[in-house]
Amino acid sequence: MDKPEVLLAVPLMKDFMDSLHEKYRVYSWYEIEDQEKLLQEAGHRIRAIATGGHAGAERSLMERLPNLELMACFGVGVDAVDISYTRSRNIQVTNTPDVLNDDVANLAIGLLLASSRALVESDKFVRRGDWLKGTMPLQKGIRGKKTGILGLGRIGKDIAGKLEVFGCDLCYHGRNEQPDVDYPYYPNPVDMARDCEYLIVICPASKDTYRIVDEKVLDALGPQGTLINIARGSVVDEPAMVAALKEGRLGAAALDVFADEPNVPEELFAMPNVVLAPHVGSAVTDTRKAMGEVVLKNLELFFSGQPLATPFND
Ligand code: NAP
């Protein structure tokens, strides 16, 4: 029997692509020289796209696939997918939630501690031989410190559970107060930031969360405050953040995500109170493998006409 056909929009991890090739006839879109020819010959047969949530697929490509029914995304954030378009055509979208919570939360906590204890600067201090001349300045602790989580969803709750062990005084902001959660709820992110020393951002990127961390939030967090962004670059007003850090209106930042990745504002490079990571929240071998398995499961369920494992519907 012919294998079902899948268009792979962007290269993903090798093990995942190997499994995909075993099970499906795969069109690796990014490698195809004559894309027009492919669309004319096979476009009408392609019912599924596999892609990264960070990459989605161009609307112009989807428009050329008249029988497209599924966009199976590798990753939990699907902000690169034109959801209003997929909805208008009843194209189902899946993502890979939950399997990455633990590692993304671990990175958030790693960034928080790296920032509060100046770990990157400590490393440089030792390597430079500065320890021979004196000791590192004292740093900040996190026990008892008011810590706000902007986006208390699957990953946000994992972060919160872990931070309870560290003794942080937690609170959260989201669109809705959650009845089963005991942490104090703030309907407004500015009010939350004003009360917090640490602000961890882990909400989805959307038109509603675009620059939700704006100058007002940054000023409310203030010179003693630390911003940890592990969500998406677009949720923070990046120029306002750089200016606030430069002018000392914001104390520190620890960032895994940026507005125009992989470009990072160069002004941040020289700031000792900034910790940078190259969007590696889920970049752990076992976790990436588990994410690939979720994508493969969704494809398998789709091609056997069964309900999808992890449909995205927000
Ligand atoms: P989730 O379970 O859907 O949780 C999202 C949370 O954000 C919910 O608590 C939701 O609460 C809140 N939220 C949604 N819209 C909001 C708005 N307009 N204003 C304020 N809060 C809002 O998602 P998740 O699995 O935790 O993932 C969250 C995001 O993390 C992903 O979308 C992705 O962008 C990012 N992420 C980053 C990495 C990385 O490598 N750095 C890895 C994985 C995920 P309400 O519904 O009450 O508003």
Side-chain angles (χ1 to χ4, degrees), residues 86-101:
T86 53
R87 267 200 199 120
S88 74
R89 276 189 51 195
N90 286 326
I91 298 166
Q92 302 188 77
V93 176
T94 58
N95 62 351
T96 61
D98 289 319
V99 292
L100 41 57
N101 294 353

Side-chain angles (χ1 to χ4, degrees), residues 76-79 97-98 100-101 104 107 150-157 173-178 202-206 208-209 212 230-232 256-257 279-282 288 314:
V76 71
V78 296
D79 37 292
D98 289 319
L100 41 57
N101 294 353
V104 180
L107 188 75
L150 199 168
L152 193 70
R154 287 171 288 232
I155 301 170
K157 287 197 173 82
H173 165 74
R175 288 165 301 186
N176 308 296
E177 182 164 9
Q178 302 184 35
I202 185 64
C203 60
S206 69
D208 296 334
T209 59
I212 188 170
I230 186 123
R232 285 287 186 268
D256 183 44
V257 286
H279 199 152
V280 286
S282 67
R288 287 282 168 89
D314 189 50

Side-chain angles (χ1 to χ4, degrees), residues 43-78:
H44 62 287
R45 292 200 308 271
I46 293 170
R47 294 170 56 212
I49 291 179
T51 186
H54 64 287
E58 297 283 327
R59 182 169 166 161
S60 55
L61 168 60
M62 293 192 275
E63 282 169 351
R64 299 291 306 278
L65 306 175
N67 295 311
L68 184 65
E69 290 173 65
L70 175 69
M71 169 112 53
C73 295
F74 188 110
V76 71
V78 296

Side-chain angles (χ1 to χ4, degrees), residues 155-193:
I155 301 170
K157 287 197 173 82
D158 197 315
I159 295 170
K162 287 171 170 152
L163 286 181
E164 281 190 21
V165 178
F166 287 89
C168 295
D169 180 8
L170 297 162
C171 57
Y172 72 103
H173 165 74
R175 288 165 301 186
N176 308 296
E177 182 164 9
Q178 302 184 35
D180 54 341
V181 167
D182 289 336
Y183 311 126
Y185 171 70
Y186 284 83
N188 183 320
V190 179
D191 293 339
M192 181 168 83

